Amino acid sequence: MNSIFRPDVSSAPCMLGENNPDIIQQDSAPAEVALLNGLSRVFGIRLGNDQRSPEARFLGDLTRLFHQRRIDGEMNLEKHDCPWANVYLIQYGILRLFREAPNSKISVHHFFSEGDLVWPVFGRSRTVRNTLCLTSSTPATLWVADFAAFRSAIQSHGDGLWPRFALALTEELAELTSMREFRKHTMPARERYKLLLEEYPELVRRVPDNQLASWLGVVPATFSRLKTGATERSAR
């Protein structure tokens, strides 16, 4: 296919350091734009030009609650035996939700990545009886808000808004978790690993093997054998 070079709309990357007058310099969008876009996707609100609309006021009230936070990998965000304090919108990175048994055995329940909103779905997790932990699997850029203030802001915009929002995300997380448990009890590990590669290639590339093993429901040695076997089969 032939390509047409139009200097009025594009420039070769090698020209970017020359301060060429033909290059149109555009300012980067403010960080708050990423937050606003992320919240609009979570709530299914299409952004418009009318800043006085109920939807715009709603998103504006929420964005004022958040602050940006950059963290390294393996940073503890929420711990068991402590009330879950915050809500997190992931701009970049992967977080994992897990439980840790008294014998230090870890059971990973879910991974969250870019665009996901993470909050204490279950009422128990908002008390000292909380058994869930949230930790970063990779370095991450997050938008963080106090959960109680977040919920109160949503409730202030309509009596039924919070239940509808909470139910939708709770059902989504419950469905994913129940499907994984069903597969764990009905499918051999090799088939579950194959589905992991097909359905979550980004996780396979970015998350450590020992965490994926826990999520898959196998010990690390078994996961290593599954990984080696898949590599050998693909090389044939």
Side-chain angles (χ1 to χ4, degrees), residues 88-167:
Y88 305 88
L89 179 64
I90 305 176
Q91 182 173 331
Y92 174 80
I94 297 176
L95 310 181
R96 70 182 182 276
L97 184 71
F98 65 95
R99 285 185 170 92
E100 183 176 2
N103 62 0
S104 297
K105 183 179 180 180
I106 300 294
S107 177
V108 176
H109 297 298
H110 197 70
F111 289 100
F112 299 93
S113 59
E114 287 80 2
D116 287 338
L117 187 74
V118 189
W119 56 283
V121 171
F122 307 109
R124 177 172 177 167
S125 60
R126 304 167 203 165
T127 71
V128 293
R129 299 168 60 213
N130 174 37
T131 59
L132 291 169
C133 305
L134 185 69
T135 297
S136 56
S137 291
T138 69
T141 299
L142 309 172
W143 290 95
V144 185
D146 177 79
F147 171 72
F150 175 78
R151 180 174 59 178
S152 178
I154 295 176
Q155 290 172 332
S156 70
H157 282 265
D159 292 337
L161 189 55
W162 172 257
R164 290 198 302 272
F165 162 75
L167 179 61

